[in-house]
Amino acid sequence: MTGTAPGPQEFVHPALFYSGEHQYVTGTVPFVLEGLAKEEPVAVAAPPDRLQLIKDQLGDQARRVHFVDMTQAGRNPGRIIPGVLRQFADAHTSGRVRIIGEPIWPGRSAVEYPACVQHEALINEAFTGRAVTILCPYDVDGLDQGVLKDAWATHPVVVAEGSETASAAYSPEAVVARYNQALPVPPAAQATSFAGSGQLTTVREFAVREGERLGLEGARLQDLQLAVAELTTNSVVHGAGDGTLRIWAEDKQVVCEVQDTGRLTDPLAGRRPPAPERPGGRGLLLVNHVADLVRIHIGEAGTTIRFYIGR
């Protein structure tokens, strides 16, 4: 990467557009080596084949880099900020931290993508004022033009073929709002309403019965139970006091959502360790931890939080 050195507390968030393995290597390995030369902690979170490309080029230097399989740690995009980026950055607070994060790769589903692009937009708020540089690679051959267009809107700078371009389209808040999409419910969904703490056990038992009927068992059924308990409790304690739970099967996953008339106002709720004055964020953080995907819609009627658990 070229350009002037960032300020001591300046967050830097460029996108790297690459075509083929050679451009990937030439766009990422010098970034890593520059960080190591400056004694900066360096992490790389990417799909396994990309991790291997970087490791092969680094040789013995690879032992100084923290590598993360993004297809596992970031399968649910809601986990990436708290469980990958913040976890590494918060462990190294004495100077600048350098991270490669590739959360969007060919093969991400249309259901996952809105949460992915919102994640990219929210990185900017999550790290404002932090001495962190996060480089986000985008495969221009494998991703469609809409994804690349969104990358210009979520990153202030785009690097392509060794050149940096300031993005005139940069508008992360607009991206978060645009992907705040309504979540249609299929006719086969089973639903139950709840009101007050006295019905929390009943609604949790309903979800477990339905999850079992739809094919969940063992640890995955426990994940469903835990997520439902957290979300319904949040609705009662921190929301409007009541809500509706819906559950159904979709492909190889069980899908469950909790809807209430409260309005979630913190865009980073569930994506960062919550501050003490925002205790309600802990429940959503836990849901992100156990679910394979979390989607959120905030509208005039309230908030819907939908999560997916593989069968």
Side-chain angles (χ1 to χ4, degrees), residues 258-291:
V258 175
Q259 180 181 30
D260 63 42
T261 56
R263 289 182 62 84
L264 190 63
T265 57
D266 179 8
L268 281 167
R271 292 179 183 259
R272 66 180 173 191
E277 66 271 15
R278 291 174 175 167
R282 287 183 171 82
L284 188 50
L285 184 72
L286 186 56
V287 175
N288 266 323
H289 180 71
V290 302

Side-chain angles (χ1 to χ4, degrees), residues 116-253:
C116 292
V117 69
Q118 286 184 321
H119 154 77
E120 282 281 59
L122 290 168
I123 286 177
N124 300 287
E125 181 174 344
F127 285 92
T128 297
R130 296 286 301 268
V132 177
T133 301
I134 300 176
L135 176 69
C136 299
Y138 283 79
D139 182 351
V140 299
D141 297 325
L143 299 170
D144 66 38
Q145 289 301 308
V147 174
L148 301 180
K149 182 178 179 181
D150 284 337
W152 284 98
T154 54
H155 297 80
V157 173
V158 172
V159 183
E161 298 183 351
S163 298
E164 294 186 5
T165 303
S167 174
Y170 179 62
S171 183
E173 296 87 358
V175 170
V176 172
R178 177 152 48 89
Y179 285 95
N180 179 32
Q181 300 170 339
L183 303 171
V185 178
Q190 299 297 305
T192 186
S193 297
F194 59 94
S197 58
Q199 294 186 351
L200 291 176
T201 299
T202 301
V203 72
R204 185 172 65 246
E205 291 172 347
F206 168 84
V208 169
R209 286 195 305 272
E210 286 299 311
E212 211 167 18
R213 182 181 67 82
L214 294 170
L216 291 182
E217 57 185 15
R220 298 268 65 189
L221 189 62
Q222 292 175 7
D223 289 340
L224 172 74
Q225 181 177 10
L226 180 59
V228 167
E230 292 295 332
L231 292 181
T232 53
T233 299
N234 275 356
S235 291
V236 169
V237 176
H238 304 292
D242 56 11
T244 300
L245 180 141
R246 301 180 182 89
I247 185 169
W248 66 94
E250 192 172 293
D251 297 326
K252 296 181 180 181
Q253 295 177 307

